[in-house]
Amino acid sequence: MEKRLMRLMVMVFFLLTIIMGSKAFASKEVRFVYVPWTCVTVKTEVAEFILDNLGYRASSMMLSVPIAYQALATDEADVFLGNWMPTMSGIATPHFESGRVIQMDPIMENAKYTLAVPRYVNEGGLQHFEDIAKFADKLDYKIYGIEEGNDGNEVIEMMIAENMFGLGDFDIIPSSETGMLSQVQSYTRNNQWIVFLGWSPHWMNNIIDMEYLKGSDETTFGENDGTATVYINVRNGFADDHPMVNSFLENY
């Protein structure tokens, strides 16, 4: 983390030095897209703030994951800082393969994105995807997700549609990051049972005594129980149009 911060500071200084000597950069626009997750929102706001203060015209749009990729692919946006893989593979990979969207080097490895439960639920026997259906009555046949169109929701919907792990009678309850976590906190205050989308790093891991379920593989949230890698994506041609910003993103 310290090395990455140092590289970022050096790159900002380098960009500032170049831009102060050339007004040509000041007229360039950089358009971010982001999804309503705390981690992606904060990263986008910080990058936007830095570029604004370096003389760029930075802007951002909050979109669903599929629409964000459509915007990148059709040159309506430039940068997306929240490509969580492998769960976004179904949405993102066709755009990578077409060459319209470029996946840069990883900015975070060994993250996690999968189903989670409060610790008391885990200790009560729900520790694996295969255990969810065993406790259907306690869970009211519900799995809690976040916003519509989210890749995690799509994985849950697929698991239900294909009756994976006996989940055919379950429903997904879509919400928002804030709405879902408020529901989880409400349930935990009363020791009620709940299964929800969890990910790390995120502040939920600090305020909720929670455990991630085992059982994820390449057909669901990815191997190693939902281990994830996060990438920056840019539209095709972005590196040529904005070489300095592209270098900044490589060190972000």
Side-chain angles (χ1 to χ4, degrees):
M1 180 64 73
E2 291 180 357
K3 290 182 179 179
R4 180 174 290 277
L5 179 60
M6 182 61 68
R7 289 199 302 269
L8 178 59
M9 291 174 65
V10 170
M11 180 55 63
V12 169
F13 177 78
F14 180 54
L15 278 167
L16 184 59
T17 301
I18 296 295
I19 292 169
M20 287 178 67
S22 174
K23 293 184 179 180
F25 289 97
S27 64
K28 295 228 175 181
E29 181 181 18
V30 180
R31 304 161 299 172
F32 290 88
V33 286
Y34 69 99
V35 289
W37 312 334
T38 300
C39 54
V40 180
T41 301
V42 170
K43 287 178 185 175
T44 302
E45 289 176 348
V46 170
E48 190 175 353
F49 175 81
I50 291 171
L51 293 178
D52 273 337
N53 282 274
L54 290 174
Y56 287 86
R57 291 183 294 115
S59 61
S60 60
M61 297 182 292
M62 184 177 72
L63 302 171
S64 66
V65 175
I67 302 303
Y69 276 98
Q70 187 64 28
L72 289 171
T74 56
D75 197 21
E76 296 175 9
D78 298 308
V79 184
F80 177 47
L81 301 178
N83 173 214
W84 282 63
M85 297 292 276
T87 54
M88 286 187 184
S89 295
I91 299 170
T93 299
H95 295 294
F96 299 152
E97 292 177 345
S98 73
R100 294 181 178 273
V101 179
I102 308 301
Q103 185 183 61
M104 300 179 70
D105 290 337
I107 57 172
M108 185 189 305
E109 297 178 305
N110 296 315
K112 184 172 282 291
Y113 188 35
T114 186
L115 296 178
V117 296
R119 184 180 299 276
Y120 58 83
V121 173
N122 182 271
E123 292 175 347
L126 206 171
Q127 302 174 353
H128 193 284
F129 285 8
E130 293 177 347
D131 297 327
I132 299 174
K134 299 175 186 177
F135 299 99
D137 289 336
K138 283 192 171 187
L139 297 168
D140 197 23
Y141 290 85
K142 295 175 182 176
I143 299 175
Y144 288 80
I146 48 179
E147 77 279 353
E148 296 277 5
N150 169 265
D151 50 301
N153 284 25
E154 290 193 351
V155 172
I156 297 170
E157 290 167 356
M158 179 270 295
M159 292 168 68
I160 292 171
E162 298 184 9
N163 195 30
M164 296 178 69
F165 308 103
L167 298 178
D169 292 329
F170 275 71
D171 291 314
I172 181 172
I173 308 300
S175 182
S176 63
E177 175 187 312
T178 302
M180 182 195 73
L181 293 177
S182 294
Q183 188 73 46
V184 173
Q185 289 178 286
S186 175
Y187 271 48
T188 57
R189 282 193 290 270
N190 298 301
N191 284 335
Q192 292 175 271
W193 283 45
I194 187 170
V195 175
F196 60 96
L197 270 176
W199 60 95
S200 176
H202 189 276
W203 55 263
M204 75 173 80
N205 296 273
N206 297 322
I207 67 169
I208 299 171
D209 191 9
M210 56 187 277
E211 292 284 345
Y212 292 95
L213 297 183
K214 298 184 181 300
S216 177
D217 58 22
E218 67 278 359
T219 66
T220 54
F221 289 92
E223 297 179 344
N224 300 316
D225 297 321
T227 298
T229 303
V230 185
Y231 301 84
I232 292 175
N233 296 165
V234 296
R235 64 166 174 80
N236 183 36
F238 179 80
D240 293 331
D241 294 340
H242 300 282
M244 299 303 300
V245 180
N246 196 72
S247 294
F248 164 73
L249 293 174
E250 289 176 341
N251 293 276
Y252 190 55

